[in-house]
Amino acid sequence: MIETGRELIAQEGETPVSLRMIAKHAHYSAGVIYRYFPNRASLFLAIRDAELDDYVERLQAVFDTHADPEARLRAVADAGFTYACEQANVFGMNMLTLLWARSPQPDGVPARIRDMSPAAARVHALYETAIQAFFADIGCSAVPAEMATASVMAVITGAVSLPEGSVHKDLPERRAVMAGTFDVLIAGWRAVQ
């Protein structure tokens, strides 16, 4: 059901994908799909988590490849950018909102990262660990790791949301924007040691 939902949502045109449509394409009755997913949003979150399970494995491999804290942080951010581009190309920016957003609690305060799905929590933990190792390496204690993690995610999401360029070549390539902005972020963190 998740794979069928992913395929249909990726192809979604004018008509939003419904759970009944997914059930039909997956050769299940509507009752079966509603047993597992009470609404479209719950299925979309299940799709997100399946995507994140794959991503966390890819991210862990990148993380484990680099011993130098700055090289690791840059590689993790670049892997995040690549992944976010892939997701945006398939699902549009809505998927990125679901990937990075924290769920509001009844009191209106966003939930901490660790309250997210296990896959999302592992992704965020890898980012935070890479940032904390870099901060320890440069002696930066002035910036909270959660703020730094949110900053990295904002840089990634911002770069992904840029247009691909134009026929007049007046817009820079998104990866170059991401790398340049990340350079500024790193320089800022070094400056507040």
Side-chain angles (χ1 to χ4, degrees):
M1 288 183 271
I2 290 172
E3 185 56 36
T4 300
R6 183 191 188 288
E7 291 170 9
L8 290 174
I9 289 170
Q11 300 168 8
E12 188 174 35
E14 299 288 319
T15 307
V17 174
S18 69
L19 290 182
R20 290 184 186 280
M21 185 185 303
I22 293 167
K24 179 181 174 185
H25 280 64
H27 306 290
Y28 289 105
S29 70
V32 169
I33 200 164
Y34 279 103
R35 183 179 311 150
Y36 296 98
F37 304 104
N39 54 45
R40 185 176 187 266
S42 65
L43 176 63
F44 207 81
L45 290 174
I47 292 167
R48 179 211 54 191
D49 290 346
E51 295 293 323
L52 285 174
D53 284 335
D54 175 58
Y55 173 50
V56 77
E57 291 175 21
R58 291 168 37 191
L59 189 61
Q60 185 69 56
V62 168
F63 186 93
D64 293 342
T65 301
H66 300 277
D68 176 71
E70 183 174 343
R72 178 187 300 134
L73 180 56
R74 287 180 180 279
V76 165
D78 189 66
F81 174 80
T82 300
Y83 176 76
C85 285
E86 292 168 3
Q87 295 306 309
N89 289 340
V90 175
F91 295 107
M93 290 304 289
N94 288 338
M95 182 59 127
L96 291 180
T97 301
L98 285 171
L99 293 176
W100 305 126
R102 299 178 185 185
S103 305
Q105 298 300 296
D107 60 5
V109 176
R112 292 181 49 82
I113 295 301
R114 285 148 192 88
D115 295 333
M116 297 178 77
S117 72
R122 287 193 309 272
V123 169
H124 286 273
L126 283 169
Y127 275 90
E128 282 188 18
T129 301
I131 288 166
Q132 289 168 341
F134 174 67
F135 282 3
D137 189 53
I138 65 170
C140 178
S141 60
V143 180
E146 285 186 3
M147 177 61 77
T149 302
S151 298
V152 169
M153 290 177 186
V155 167
I156 291 169
T157 304
V160 172
S161 68
L162 290 172
E164 287 282 351
S166 74
V167 294
H168 304 293
K169 307 288 188 218
D170 57 351
L171 295 174
E173 193 269 329
R174 295 186 303 180
R175 187 173 296 279
V177 169
M178 200 301 252
T181 308
F182 201 74
D183 287 344
V184 171
L185 197 58
I186 293 280
W189 289 335
R190 286 186 182 282
V192 296
Q193 297 179 35

